[in-house]
Amino acid sequence: MRTFDLSTGDDQFVKDIRVVRWEQYALERQLPFQAMWYSVPPGSESPLDEHPELELSVVVAGTAHVLVGGREYEVPQGDAFLLGSTEQHVVQNRSADVPLTVFSAYWMPLAEAAGHD
């Protein structure tokens, strides 16, 4: 068994969003996906993002407001959301005082499933 500590992981910042990518743990040959944590400060949001990978995200702390496809979804702590390949999205933290922390696993869609997400 291995454990992974968000508080001590090597991070980078995109705007004011703290990102801790799991590539640093050298798991690419052991897992069929990549993963990361990201933290959105109160009152902030992620940049508009779009990528070919599918992305499954679990809200670890706070409440996420996810804007995708002209719709808004509220995702509370403990719930998850799945973004399809190439869906443009923004993740907002509308709290005045609680940071939003999300764990995301992402992977390329299977060839036979491409276009059906």
Side-chain angles (χ1 to χ4, degrees):
M1 183 180 120
R2 288 180 66 180
T3 62
F4 306 95
D5 185 348
L6 169 61
S7 67
T8 61
D10 293 335
D11 54 20
Q12 59 187 16
F13 283 84
V14 178
K15 266 184 44 178
D16 58 348
I17 312 303
R18 179 177 180 241
V19 179
V20 178
R21 295 191 180 276
W22 280 38
E23 284 90 348
Q24 66 187 292
Y25 302 122
L27 298 168
E28 54 276 344
R29 294 186 176 199
Q30 299 172 41
L31 299 175
F33 58 85
Q34 294 292 329
M36 68 179 170
W37 286 289
Y38 62 90
S39 298
V40 183
S44 189
E45 66 182 24
S46 69
L48 179 64
D49 195 16
E50 178 182 356
H51 41 74
E53 298 90 355
L54 296 171
E55 182 176 356
L56 177 63
S57 299
V58 178
V59 177
V60 176
T63 297
H65 286 85
V66 184
L67 309 177
V68 61
R71 295 187 61 194
E72 175 185 319
Y73 303 87
E74 183 175 293
V75 186
Q77 180 176 334
D79 284 1
F81 57 97
L82 177 65
L83 294 165
S85 179
T86 69
E87 281 190 303
Q88 289 188 338
H89 55 279
V90 172
V91 178
Q92 297 179 331
N93 180 1
R94 296 184 181 170
S95 171
D97 56 357
V98 177
L100 169 64
T101 301
V102 177
F103 170 80
S104 288
Y106 49 96
W107 61 94
M108 292 302 291
L110 299 174
E112 63 271 13
H116 298 288
D117 46 46

